[in-house]
Amino acid sequence: MNYWLMKSEPEECSVDNALASKNATVPWVGVRNYQARNFMRDAMRVGDGVLFYHSSCAEPGIVGIARVASTAYPDPTQFDPDSPYFDAKSRPDEPRWLLVDVQVLRKISTLPLPALRARPELAELLVLKKGNRLSITPVEPRHWQAITGSSAVVQPDKAGS
C-alpha cells in the first residue's frame, strides 16, 4: 500500500465538493505535471491512502482523509477546447494526461502548514520541503501514521460507501 498527498485548490475541488458528490468520489482532473502524472499511472493503486490538501487558499493544509478509488485513465479535460486544462497536442489515441478517482472518507479539522512544520516527526514530509510545488507527492508510511494515527488499510466507512 502507498500513501499520497494530493493538492487541490478549494475553488477547483474542495473536500466539501468531494463529499457532496456521488459516493464522495471525484475525478482528479487537471494534473499537468509529468512526474505527478507518472505517480498516478505507475504507482497509485486502488485503496492507497490520500491526504487531501487544500492549496492556494487562506489556510493551506490537510483537510481530509481519502483513498485512491480507481486506476489511472485519460483525463477528458485535455481534449476539451473550452477547458482550462485543454492540451492541443494531446490526442485521444495517445493521451498525455491521466487522472484517478479519489474518494473522501472523512473531513478533518485543517492541519495547516505551521502545525505540520511544528511536528519534528514530519520534518521530511515532502510538502514541507522548500521549493516543492508538485500537486501529488508520495507520503512515507511513518508520516501517514503520524498524521492519521493509523497504519490500517484505507477503506470507506459505512457513510462513505
Side-chain angles (χ1 to χ4, degrees):
M1 170 173 230
N2 295 311
Y3 302 100
W4 307 94
L5 183 140
M6 298 177 74
K7 293 181 184 177
S8 177
E9 295 179 10
E11 293 77 30
E12 288 285 320
C13 181
S14 72
V15 70
D16 292 326
N17 295 141
L19 284 168
S21 65
K22 183 179 178 182
N23 297 323
T25 302
V26 291
W28 209 261
V29 300
V31 173
R32 296 299 183 265
N33 173 283
Y34 287 106
Q35 187 175 5
R37 181 219 44 203
N38 293 349
F39 285 145
M40 290 189 291
R41 182 189 68 199
D42 301 333
M44 285 187 176
R45 301 291 176 260
V46 173
D48 282 356
V50 173
L51 299 173
F52 196 114
Y53 184 98
H54 282 172
S55 65
S56 300
C57 57
E59 187 176 44
I62 299 167
V63 296
I65 307 300
R67 71 179 196 100
V68 175
S70 75
T71 57
Y73 61 95
D75 181 341
T77 64
Q78 68 193 306
F79 308 120
D80 179 358
D82 295 327
S83 170
Y85 303 116
F86 177 66
D87 181 344
K89 295 182 180 179
S90 189
R91 300 187 330 251
D93 60 327
E94 285 188 42
R96 284 185 178 193
W97 306 110
L98 303 172
L99 62 80
V100 295
D101 293 334
V102 173
Q103 181 183 35
V104 175
L105 303 175
R106 66 184 179 276
K107 184 176 177 176
I108 63 171
S109 295
T110 302
L111 287 171
L113 280 174
L116 295 170
R117 284 192 177 103
R119 296 178 60 183
E121 71 272 25
L122 298 177
E124 299 299 313
L125 187 65
L126 291 177
V127 74
L128 301 179
K129 298 287 186 181
K130 189 168 182 75
N132 186 326
R133 299 194 38 88
L134 276 179
S135 61
I136 298 172
T137 55
V139 172
E140 292 184 30
R142 64 189 170 103
H143 296 144
W144 174 268
Q145 188 166 6
I147 292 166
T148 66
S150 170
S151 60
V153 174
V154 179
Q155 296 294 328
D157 60 23
K158 303 259 189 288
S161 53

